[in-house]
Amino acid sequence: CCLRVFVQAPLEQRVRRAREEYQVDAPHVESYVKQQDRYRASYYNHFVGRKWGDMGNYDLCINSRIGIDQAMAAIKAAALAMDG
């Protein structure tokens, strides 16, 4: 069995992460991040046949504004709970 997870974050946090973690040097980083969301949604919608971001399609939805380490811990706990 697989754990279907959707991780979201506020736009400001995603823009900051794109700049700092991924060294995105686009003049309009916010537009870049939104475009990446559209690509992800299109890919998911096409290949999965469901609506990207619709909470009903996932076992766990988490907002990473709680912190990356905390989000990873929550995902790990959910995965372990599904195993047992």
Side-chain angles (χ1 to χ4, degrees):
C1 185
C2 69
L3 177 65
R4 299 168 300 165
V5 179
F6 187 83
V7 179
Q8 63 182 21
L11 180 60
E12 311 82 54
Q13 182 180 354
R14 293 171 26 231
V15 166
R16 184 175 57 250
R17 188 166 174 85
R19 280 192 186 116
E20 295 170 3
E21 290 287 321
Y22 305 118
Q23 285 78 43
V24 173
D25 193 25
H28 305 288
V29 178
E30 186 174 315
S31 297
Y32 170 83
V33 169
K34 289 178 180 180
Q35 181 63 45
Q36 292 303 306
D37 285 348
R38 286 190 290 276
Y39 290 147
R40 285 186 188 98
S42 177
Y43 181 91
Y44 180 90
N45 296 344
H46 177 77
F47 287 103
V48 177
R50 294 177 183 241
K51 188 173 187 314
W52 183 71
D54 181 351
M55 289 188 267
N57 297 329
Y58 306 95
D59 301 309
L60 177 66
C61 295
I62 192 161
N63 192 320
S64 66
R65 71 185 170 101
I66 64 172
I68 300 297
D69 292 338
Q70 292 80 358
M72 287 177 11
I75 294 167
K76 182 178 179 182
L80 291 172
M82 285 185 74
D83 250 359

